[in-house]
């Protein structure tokens, strides 16, 4: 049975929705796929639900091929498992919380690691039960501070989340690889180009993690790759530290006048003009040490001021800083923070002053001090002396100051060396389409998931977690497949295979309507699904416009040509329209 | 590809779960279909999810056949639409409520009338857009006071809810009938016997409503039916009131001593012994008027005492009382209530005393007074006189006392006349499996859903609402199809078509395992899904036990017989086991 527009639930809109920030949101609303219910929360209309179901079907097939079995957890879950794992606190305001009528605490699950772990613990107890991979396709909830970009960052969204359970590290590697392979097949079938990059495990914890990114200029994620095969998102990129150097022969540090040099650029200029290097070569910004003061807000809501020293030619990358300091939240220190720390001389901050250590554990300020990995022992720097208008030259790490640790918050630049030695990296942008994690034993340990091994010994299970945002993927496909007239779905996920338009009006062109019925029946017999625009009093022009907006890949136009037994077949993607004999329609499709 | 038990996520349990009150709950947990997460909240394991998907597929097909289109709403919805309809308050503690990070109020939807209404209002504006029927299959949330009986009354449950939109009453009748017909097809396909009974519209509001009940002795609902075709659940049954009588010739009421008669039985005994009827026939309980004192808790949490007069041979039916007084909650008055109302003389309460009216608007107590429909004007009663040890005889309704209205809270008895004149009713028990409502214009009026009719006039839309509890249906099917060894699924919803058991042990019986692989492949080629018990080291006895517990309708046992090219085909329902040649397995199935 074809789906007839005469009684379908569909209203295409001429106007873009006022709140649409991105193309996919604009077109999915206008073409009648989704409708907003609240910020970041959407209802799925019949066309949208069909596309979503097709994506889910592809994911299910490949999960089955990967040996994973489908289960389904409630969205509403008791809070206790999330308290045990620590995520009840870590998620902060991002988690929807509620109480039932008896006052028991619940959450709307943002992901399900905890309860999958508990379910396996509940039912399994032997290595013979493993390996196990299980997954669900479920609506997830995250109370985003700024839901935006339509389905790309919603507060309710559908996700496929899979979890693997093994009792050996080698087993986890196999399970992880099976999911990773399935993801490659899924994205290939969905027609989504992807790059697999090293990722930071973030709030999930765990050891190894990779992201599938779709490379696109408008992506919200930045990643790096080298010609030699290295790829990572910038949050996961690690800096290749230079070797430490001996500082035995280095001259002592020297405090010099550098008036009016609160910025790195002014400092380099003054240094070259007033304090030229003995050998005559110019100082450059990478030889200065910039000290950035940041404010951390810890989970217990305490505020801590920290300082980070990094080469003066690098800016702070806030995303890298967020990951580096997680789960604390990080922001630039405010004027109030500086007022509370009079030991910091703005524009001339450094780890050292002629009176001793200024930053770090046993210093005058007591402020924790971290440095970029490039600040290795034996490296010498021009940096603030904590005296207004003066810098110290030749301050040597390990000799003159000691940090509390290294930290990766400096921006990554094109040309930086890949950490695996595979050459310089380039920067690119992409959208996250999937994420695979080796969680390791974090959740199993927290929640007590152990099994008996071959020797009858209790061992903690090691886990993986594998996610694809179904509704996000749908939005990305829409974002990538459209033109000024509407959507252009790839056949694998199109809501229908064929859109048949009757180019005529009931009453005047009844023969055309009759012919269209026969043609639709023929197409359906060939196994293709049909959206049939049989609206009796809508003009052909409006019908064509709707067909373009909706974006079914093939459009068959049944019009006056049927007297000569011909119809038109319109390829939505190429725009090509060819005339074919009525009995050749199925072949032409 | 068969599903192999060697790597399936399944653990059958020997013990019944401690909290299981009903067979379906006990067996679905033991056989590995579901697992409890919180009171009334379950996770679906792979076997359970397969059965659920099959039920959903049948429902989807019949919704499509009924011309309904599938959509999908969020479970998390803004509270405002529910406030406008009044249900935000009416649901009381039964609704899960929460706030987002900005303090905006949300609910977990218990049903979706409001947002379906708003969606259609949002997109449609003309009679040409109607009729429209749309539905979803969605997880619903109700914070039940006593979640119980496993899936039969959960707090999270899956429901198919459909809504129809028309602009004429005749149109609503057509849409309603289409859904009603679809329900008949669905329950027939699911093998669920049903009775369609008149129902009370309850919290949904609206005018006409019918329930689909599965008749069963263990059902929690009582319904009545007459030989002439009347059927209603007891909450919706209406009493056929006798005609009013003239009281001009009736003698005045008379207060008589009736010591020690606080109960109807004692009253009838004393009346016959001490105050016989003039014509010598015996008084009976149906001629006495029993006055029951109830406490209502209104939505604004105020408590009100009311009295209800009903024939002495009838008990109060609490379910009917709940419906009659909804949305107020009702319970028996407590000792405290009586203490606060000293005008009520326990055991001798009546609407009248020699000093005047005791119950009703302008009475000494001011307590509202309702009567059973049998208490018509001109009917005379023996009832309490509000004096300890005395009753009044011949107290006539309409002459001696007036009620604030009639109310249906008396029990229905076998033999009561059906209100449509189709003869006496019998009582039966059943389980609700579906519910169809004509909502009428209640929601459309509250939320402003109007369309332009043929004459360009704005008219309010009239709606229907149609629900099937998917997970409840699954539990009912399990409840009806089992024996002492486990589940016995009807083929239409069985998780697999065939369960193949290798009756042997790896190492010793490798030829049997090999033969089984071929047989499984043959069965799958015939289009049947297979659960393959290929566990290498599990004894045949344990495998047979699991097969019986899981309840796939056909079990194929591949054992030593394969040397003679035979296997056994076991019919789970009948218990019959027949030996068939290996190449005849598919035919035997």
């Amino acid at each position: 049975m074809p789906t007839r527009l005469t009684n379908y639930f569909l209203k295409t809109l001429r106007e873009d929705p006022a709140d649409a920030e991105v193309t996919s949101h604009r077109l999915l609303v206008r073409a009648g796929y989704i409708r907003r219910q609240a910020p970041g929360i959407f209802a799925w209309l019949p066309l949208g639900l069909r596309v979503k179901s097709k994506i889910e079907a592809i994911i299910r097939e490949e999960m089955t091929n990967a040996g994973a079995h489908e289960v389904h957890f409630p969205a509403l879950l008791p809070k206790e498992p999330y308290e045990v794992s620590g995520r009840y606190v870590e998620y902060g305001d991002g988690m929807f919380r509620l109480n039932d009528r008896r006052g028991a605490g619940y959450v709307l699950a943002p992901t399900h690691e905890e309860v999958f772990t508990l379910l396996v613990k509940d039912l399994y107890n032997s290595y013979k039960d493993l390996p196990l991979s299980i997954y669900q396709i479920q609506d997830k909830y995250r109370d985003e501070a700024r839901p935006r970009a339509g389905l790309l960052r919603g507060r309710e969204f559908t996700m496929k989340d899979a979890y693997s359970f093994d009792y050996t590290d080698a087993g986890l590697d196999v399970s992880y690889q099976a999911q990773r392979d399935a993801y490659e097949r899924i994205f290939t079938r969905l027609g989504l180009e992807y790059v697999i990059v090293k990722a930071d495990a973030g709030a999930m914890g765990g050891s190894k993690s990779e992201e599938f990114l779709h490379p696109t200029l408008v992506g919200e994620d930045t990643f790096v790759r080298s010609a030699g095969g290295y790829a990572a998102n910038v949050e996961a990129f690690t800096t290749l530290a230079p070797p430490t150097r001996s500082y035995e022969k280095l001259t002592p540090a020297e405090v010099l006048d550098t008036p009016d040099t609160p910025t790195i650029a002014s400092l380099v200029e003054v240094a070259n003009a007033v304090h030229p290097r003995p050998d005559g070569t110019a100082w450059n910004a990478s030889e200065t040490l910039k000290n950035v003061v940041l404010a951390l807000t810890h989970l217990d809501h305490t505020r801590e001021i920290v300082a980070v020293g990094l080469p003066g030619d690098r800016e702070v990358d806030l995303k890298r800083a967020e990951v580096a300091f997680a789960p604390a939240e990080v922001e630039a220190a405010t004027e109030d923070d500086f007022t509370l720390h009079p030991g910091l001389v703005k524009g001339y901050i450094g780890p050292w002053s002629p009176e001793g250590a200024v930053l770090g554990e046993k210093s005058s300020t007591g402020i924790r001090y971290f440095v970029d990995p490039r600040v290795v022992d034996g490296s010498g720097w021009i940096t603030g002396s904590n005296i207004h208008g003066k810098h110290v030259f030749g301050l040597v790490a390990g000799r003159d100051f000691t940090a509390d640790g290294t930290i990766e918050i400096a921006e990554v630049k094109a040309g930086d060396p890949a950490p695996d030695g595979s050459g310089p990296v380039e920067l690119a942008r992409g959208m996250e389409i999937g994420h695979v994690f080796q969680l390791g034993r974090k959740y199993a340990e927290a929640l007590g998931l152990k099994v008996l091994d071959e020797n009858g010994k209790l061992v903690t299970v090691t886990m993986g977690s594998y996610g694809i945002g179904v509704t996000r993927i749908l939005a990305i496909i829409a974002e990538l497949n459209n033109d000024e007239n509407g959507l252009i779905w790839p056949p694998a996920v199109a809501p229908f295979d064929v859109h048949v338009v009757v180019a005529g009006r009931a009453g005047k062109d009844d023969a055309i309507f009759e012919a269209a019925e026969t043609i639709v029946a023929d197409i359906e017999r060939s196994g293709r699904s049909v959206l049939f625009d049989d609206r009796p009093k809508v003009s052909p022009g409006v019908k064509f416009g709707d067909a373009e907006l909706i974006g079914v890949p093939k459009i068959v136009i049944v019009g006056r040509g049927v007297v000569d037994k011909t119809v038109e077949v319109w390829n939505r993607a190429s725009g090509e329209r060819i005339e074919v004999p009525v009995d050749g329609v199925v072949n032409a499709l």
Side-chain angles (χ1 to χ4, degrees), chain A residues 10-56:
Chain A
L10 173 68
K11 179 77 95 188
T12 57
L13 307 175
R14 292 192 192 172
E15 305 289 330
D16 284 337
D19 62 341
E21 299 159 353
V22 294
T23 306
S24 59
H25 186 192
R26 188 168 60 80
L27 289 176
L28 289 170
V29 170
R30 276 192 55 204
Y33 284 73
I34 58 172
R35 199 81 190 143
R36 182 183 179 277
Q37 298 294 306
I41 299 179
F42 294 87
W44 289 85
L45 308 188
L47 279 175
L49 199 55
R50 286 183 77 100
V51 176
K52 184 165 176 268
S53 301
K54 287 206 169 181
I55 295 172
E56 290 173 354

Side-chain angles (χ1 to χ4, degrees), chain A residues 344-576:
Chain A
L344 300 174
V345 182
K346 261 187 98 173
Y348 300 89
I349 299 168
W352 174 95
S353 83
E355 294 172 11
V358 173
L359 300 170
E361 206 182 334
K362 289 176 182 164
S363 66
S364 58
T365 62
I367 292 172
R368 285 202 292 164
Y369 185 55
F370 300 94
V371 292
D372 185 85
R374 293 168 193 85
V375 184
V376 293
D377 276 6
S379 59
W381 304 89
I382 304 175
T383 191
S385 68
N386 298 292
I387 303 166
H388 192 85
K390 290 180 193 290
H391 280 84
V392 54
F393 285 60
L395 193 75
V396 174
R399 182 190 73 183
D400 302 325
F401 67 96
T402 314
D404 293 293
T406 60
I407 199 156
E408 295 269 8
I409 72 163
E411 62 180 332
V412 182
K413 289 182 177 180
D416 283 349
D420 64 354
S422 63
V425 300
E426 59 165 16
L427 289 160
R429 295 190 74 80
M431 285 181 175
E432 184 188 333
I433 53 177
H435 209 151
V436 287
F437 289 99
Q438 291 199 359
L439 294 175
R441 298 182 172 80
K442 172 180 164 164
Y443 289 91
E445 244 155 36
L447 296 157
L449 169 57
K450 293 170 198 272
V451 293
L452 291 170
D453 71 6
E454 296 92 331
N455 307 314
K457 227 185 73 185
L458 270 178
V459 293
T460 299
V461 167
T462 181
M463 292 169 54
S465 159
Y466 316 95
I468 290 180
V470 174
T471 45
R472 181 176 161 83
I473 290 281
L474 185 149
I476 289 173
I477 294 173
E479 196 74 31
L480 299 170
N481 296 278
N482 61 72
D483 63 16
E484 65 281 11
N485 298 322
L487 294 157
I488 308 171
W489 292 107
V493 301
F496 293 91
D497 298 322
V498 185
H499 187 145
V500 176
V501 174
V502 184
R505 278 174 189 263
K508 216 170 71 181
D509 306 306
D510 289 348
I512 298 178
F513 278 82
E514 276 167 42
E517 294 284 347
T518 312
I519 290 163
V520 165
D522 285 348
I523 296 171
E524 291 212 307
R525 256 194 303 279
S526 76
R528 292 171 174 86
S529 60
V530 176
L531 180 63
F532 184 18
D533 193 348
D534 60 342
R535 287 176 293 176
K537 303 210 166 157
V538 175
S539 77
V542 169
K543 287 180 178 173
F544 296 161
D546 279 347
E548 287 193 288
L549 184 56
I550 292 166
V552 171
K554 301 279 181 168
I555 304 161
V556 173
I557 304 169
V558 185
R560 301 265 151 80
V562 290
V563 296
D564 305 319
K565 300 267 175 214
T566 66
V567 297
E568 267 188 285
V569 175
W570 180 4
N571 182 314
R572 174 68 183 91
S574 69
E576 184 193 29

